[in-house]
Structures are given as C-alpha cells and as structure tokens.
Amino acid sequence: MQINTPFFKQRAHDALADANLQKALGNLKAGFPEKRAIAVSRMPEFEQLRDQGRDLKNHILEHLDLYLEEFERKVIENGGHVHWARTADDANRIILDICQQVDAKTVTKGKSMVTEEIGLNDFLEANGVQPVETDLGEYILQLRHDHPSHIIAPAIHLNLEDVSEAFHANHHRPKSSDPAVLMQEAREVLREKFVAADVGITGANFCVAETGSTIIVTNEGNGDLTQTLPKTHVVVTSIEKVVPTLEDMTLFLRLLARSATGQEFSVYNTLSSGPRREGDQDGPENFHVVLVDNGRSEMVGSEFQDMLRCIRCSACMNHCPVYGAVGGHSYGWVYPGPMGSVLTPQMIGIEKGGMLPNASTFCGKCESVCPVRIPLPKLMRHWREDEFEKHLQPKAARYGLAGWAFLAKRPALYKPYTRMASWMMKTWAGKNGRIKKLPLAGGWTDWRDMPAPQGKTFMQAWKEQQKAGGQQ
C-alpha cells in the first residue's frame, strides 16, 4: 500500500468536499458510538474490566518474550509451525515460501490489518499467487482496487450505490440496489473461491500461550471457511497479540465486542489449535503462524509501549471528531484515527508520519473510550515533541510558536496584544458573533464559522477574580 501520509492536509481537504464520503461518514456517527454506549450501560462492571485489561496487557508486555516462547512451544507441540518475521519483507517472503511449498495458485484471505500493513496482496500477486479477500467489506474493496478506511468496517466510506457498481462491473450480473440480493451474489461467487483455494490466510485477534491457539473474532462465516477448507492454514499476526491463558482471552473478548460494535459478543469466535488431528472432521493438514514484529519490539520499554495494549477495537476512531470528518483514507496508510496517529509514525517514521499526531483536537474522547485505557493524547504529544526537536514542523508553525512564546514571556506585550486581537475578532464577527473568513485560519473557516471571543480575556478575568478573592 502506497504511503500517502505526508499529504494528509490535501487529502483531508478533498474528503471534506466529497459529498458521497460525507454521506457515508454520517452513518458512522449514528452507529458505533451509540451502540457502544448502550452495551456499556448494560454492564455495570465494564470500567473494572477496563482496569483489568490494562493491567493484564502491561503484565504481558513486561514478560512478552516468555509468553511468545511458550506460545511457540505449544504450537509446535500441536503439530504446527511458527515463523518469526522481523520486518514486513521477511513476513512476505515467509508466506510466499509456504505457498510455493504447496504449489498454491490461489489463496483465500480472512480480514487482517497486519497483512495490509506488510502489503501481502501486492507481493503475492507479483509472484504468481492470486489472493482473494473473503470478508465482504474487504472483497468489495478488492474489486474496486481500493484499501480499507476503517479497521473493523473496511468499506465504511462507501455507499450502497458504490457496492452495486462494483458487483455489476466484476460479476457481470444485473445491477441491484437490494442489499440482500448483493449479499447472496457475493456468497455465490465466493463459495467457488473457498473450494478452489490451496491456502487460507487469516489474522488473529489473540494468540493463547497456554494452548498454542489463535482466535479470530468475526461477524461473518468467511473466516471459518478460510481456515478449515484449504489444506494449509497460515495465521499472520503481530507479536503483541499473545495472551497467557484462555481465561485471559475471554476478558479481552468481553471488552472487544462491546467497544467495537456494541455487541455483547461477536457472532463467530473461532479457535485454531494446529493442523487436523486423527478423528477431526475438518481442518487443514498444515498449520503455520507468522509472528510479525515490524518495529513493535522497539516500542517495548519506550514511551510508546502503552500503544501495544491496543486490541484493535476501533473505538478511538469511532468517537474521533477528526476521523468522523475526513474518514480513514485521509490518513494515507493502513491505520487511521488516533491509534493510527501513534502507530504510523513508529512504522514509517516521523518524517513521513508527522502530520498524523498533529491531526487531533486533543479532546480526550479516544482515551475515555479505549477498552484498555491507552493514553492516546499523551502519546501523540510525544510524537509532536519528537517532530519539534528534529525541526520537522513547517516553518510557519515553528515561527508561529516562536512568536507566541515571545509574547507569552512578556506580559506587558501579551496583555494588550490579546485585548487588541479579541477586539478585532469581535469587530469582524459583527452582530451574529461568527467569523466567516479569518486570516491564517482557512483550515477552519473554509468549512465552518469561527465563533468570536466572548466577554473578557483570560488575563482580565483572572485579575478580577484575584481582586475579588482578596476582598473576601
């Protein structure tokens, strides 16, 4: 996937002007946040579970090497194979080698953001292996040569008309605007792919050290078909997904579904524990797990370690006003929203990803809904500090901050300047108190009015409060 993160501002500008996208994003605002709130209200112990999830994740990260080694030992004991991939290139080569060992020409894929991260589809196609996405949203995007804009609802940026056009163009069947008809059409086409596939590739929501099992959490049956019908099943996941026991896994499952979609539990929670054994009715003959690092081990012990607690629920982006306004593609790479604003600079470098931690209002909503209490605003501030120290910010931003600092350190200048600026903004606003155009603030006023300052400046109000306090 091409990295377009440096062009965030232009992509966000285009997204705001895209009527179809804004229509699609309107469905997000009225969907996931409300459902999450209802699900959480029905669970009195939810806040306690968040604390437990945070503490358990911290414990895992402190002993990550031990749990990963135990997971590997159990997978091998179950008859499977574990492969360690330090980089995205390593992971792609390992997966291709597995496919070539069984002479695979077609592979089916369950939904996996890690395979998006490593660019697996393009790599397989370039080497003669055809990947077929089987998650409905991912399948629609593949037909459109598009990429996910959300980590659990990959095609949320599309409308029904877009899906109908994609199916008509690729399936050569009569065009329909009936969701039930389109769903049945997808089932019929994908069933042939499931049967023909030589290899099935899935992600994993969690890897259980106690049993050597991986689990996928879905609301479609495609994941089960992907990992049971082909002769070879390959799990592609990242190193921080390991949990100690099955009981620990269930704690995160209780948090995950409620935070993601507002469900008490997802429809399918499917465990895989190695290849088919004697007496099993189905399952693969070969079972492989590819554990991807790709910069994560560098986060352990750093100021960004808390980000490794993430369970990929999407609650942060579902509640983010920036994501809700510009959508996921504006972020320019795999991971959008607040979690992407922390992860992306780690994986592609702050030089390319520096726009993202600055694309935040710091309202704190992301942290308040995170099921494992990741302090996302604090982590974004760390990246801003890093960017500033490396002199990567635009000159206008650096000079603006320097000018503000100059005034703030000199109260004799700062006070009259803020009074004058407040008066000028009130004058521009007129009787309705709203500014339609403001120099140096076009990013705001191009899309909404700027409220004029009301009442006194902070320094004036503070001075009056101090005087009133002294008279009491």
Side-chain angles (χ1 to χ4, degrees):
M1 181 176 176
Q2 185 176 356
I3 297 172
N4 291 308
T5 302
F7 310 111
F8 174 82
K9 283 189 176 180
Q10 182 58 50
R11 293 169 73 88
H13 187 276
D14 294 343
L16 288 167
D18 186 332
N20 286 334
L21 175 62
Q22 293 303 313
K23 177 184 175 183
L25 290 174
N27 299 327
L28 168 70
K29 296 171 186 175
F32 291 141
E34 291 181 7
K35 291 176 181 177
R36 177 195 177 275
I38 293 170
V40 169
S41 69
R42 293 173 177 169
M43 190 178 208
E45 69 272 28
F46 189 76
E47 294 303 314
Q48 182 181 356
L49 289 180
R50 292 178 70 197
D51 291 337
Q52 292 175 5
R54 174 200 59 205
D55 296 344
L56 178 55
K57 272 290 188 177
N58 287 341
H59 165 79
I60 294 168
L61 293 171
E62 291 295 330
H63 304 87
L64 186 59
D65 54 339
L66 300 178
Y67 288 121
L68 285 170
E69 289 173 356
E70 177 63 12
F71 172 73
E72 178 187 37
R73 188 181 71 80
K74 294 300 290 187
V75 171
I76 294 172
E77 187 179 295
N78 293 338
H81 307 272
V82 175
H83 310 265
W84 301 83
R86 181 170 292 279
T87 66
D89 289 341
D90 292 340
N92 284 329
R93 283 193 293 269
I94 290 167
I95 297 164
L96 177 63
D97 184 55
I98 294 170
C99 292
Q100 291 176 338
Q101 286 176 13
V102 296
D103 196 27
K105 297 295 186 291
T106 302
V107 303
T108 47
K109 287 181 72 259
K111 187 176 174 303
S112 165
M113 294 308 296
V114 175
T115 61
E116 291 283 344
E117 176 186 322
I118 64 177
L120 178 61
N121 284 9
D122 290 343
F123 184 80
L124 290 178
E125 287 182 6
N127 286 276
V129 180
Q130 179 59 49
V132 179
E133 296 287 354
T134 63
D135 172 88
L136 182 58
E138 293 277 4
Y139 176 65
I140 293 166
L141 296 181
Q142 188 176 35
L143 294 181
R144 291 170 51 88
H145 305 286
D146 200 353
H147 293 284
S149 64
H150 192 279
I151 64 171
I152 68 165
I156 200 167
H157 58 287
L158 301 178
N159 293 298
L160 181 61
E161 296 83 358
D162 302 314
V163 179
S164 179
E165 287 287 348
F167 278 23
H168 177 64
N170 289 273
H171 298 163
H172 309 294
R173 299 189 184 188
K175 189 181 295 186
S176 174
S177 58
D178 184 344
V181 172
L182 295 173
M183 182 74 73
Q184 183 60 29
E185 186 175 320
R187 286 195 184 104
E188 292 172 2
V189 172
L190 287 174
R191 278 172 185 162
E192 298 176 6
K193 307 295 184 182
F194 285 124
V195 173
D198 305 297
V199 173
I201 298 175
T202 68
N205 292 88
F206 304 103
C207 303
V208 185
E210 176 185 47
T211 61
S213 306
T214 63
I215 184 170
I216 57 172
V217 179
T218 70
N219 284 313
E220 302 174 26
N222 67 295
D224 290 7
L225 294 172
T226 297
Q227 64 186 17
T228 57
L229 288 181
K231 292 183 178 180
T232 299
H233 176 202
V234 182
V235 178
V236 186
T237 190
S238 50
I239 57 174
E240 81 279 11
K241 299 291 185 67
V242 68
V243 297
T245 68
L246 288 170
E247 184 177 357
D248 295 326
M249 180 193 71
T250 60
L251 164 63
F252 291 118
L253 292 180
R254 296 176 75 191
L255 289 167
L256 177 60
R258 289 173 173 85
S259 299
T261 57
Q263 297 167 278
E264 293 185 1
F265 238 58
S266 297
V267 177
Y268 297 92
N269 297 273
T270 307
L271 286 156
S272 296
S273 300
R276 181 192 303 187
R277 290 175 282 271
E278 186 176 351
D280 288 349
Q281 295 183 349
D282 56 26
E285 296 176 6
N286 308 298
F287 180 74
H288 298 265
V289 179
V290 181
L291 292 171
V292 180
D293 184 333
N294 206 27
R296 289 166 173 83
S297 59
E298 297 173 11
M299 299 169 71
V300 176
S302 76
E303 64 267 41
F304 298 107
Q305 176 171 305
D306 289 344
M307 191 61 228
L308 294 175
R309 296 204 299 258
C310 180
I311 61 173
R312 303 297 192 270
C313 69
S314 80
C316 62
M317 64 193 70
N318 293 344
H319 293 78
C320 176
V322 177
Y323 179 94
V326 302
H329 284 163
S330 297
Y331 290 80
W333 199 54
V334 177
Y335 299 110
M339 56 86 72
S341 296
V342 177
L343 269 180
T344 300
Q346 175 68 34
M347 294 182 174
I348 69 173
I350 189 63
E351 294 79 8
K352 293 181 179 178
M355 284 282 185
L356 302 191
N358 289 285
S360 173
T361 65
F362 279 8
C363 65
K365 190 65 177 177
C366 53
E367 182 176 1
S368 72
V369 298
C370 175
V372 286
R373 300 193 188 280
I374 299 172
L376 288 159
K378 183 182 82 171
L379 301 183
M380 283 186 273
R381 279 196 296 271
H382 285 319
W383 279 125
R384 290 187 183 187
E385 292 163 3
D386 188 47
E387 183 187 40
F388 184 83
E389 290 170 1
K390 293 179 179 177
H391 298 276
L392 297 173
Q393 287 180 315
K395 287 184 178 180
R398 296 185 65 83
Y399 291 156
L401 285 172
W404 178 85
F406 178 85
L407 290 171
K409 292 175 183 177
R410 295 164 176 81
L413 292 175
Y414 185 79
K415 293 176 184 178
Y417 182 85
T418 53
R419 284 197 299 268
M420 179 180 68
S422 177
W423 175 82
M424 290 178 65
M425 292 178 70
K426 290 178 184 177
T427 303
W428 284 335
K431 294 181 179 180
N432 66 0
R434 307 188 74 80
I435 303 170
K436 295 190 177 296
K437 290 291 181 182
L438 187 66
L440 305 178
W444 179 282
T445 56
D446 282 351
W447 308 103
R448 62 187 71 79
D449 293 344
M450 171 76 77
Q454 301 295 317
K456 301 170 184 176
T457 67
F458 172 81
M459 297 301 294
Q460 289 172 325
W462 176 259
K463 186 175 181 180
E464 291 182 6
Q465 183 176 325
Q466 292 297 99
K467 283 184 178 180
Q471 293 173 357
Q472 293 177 355

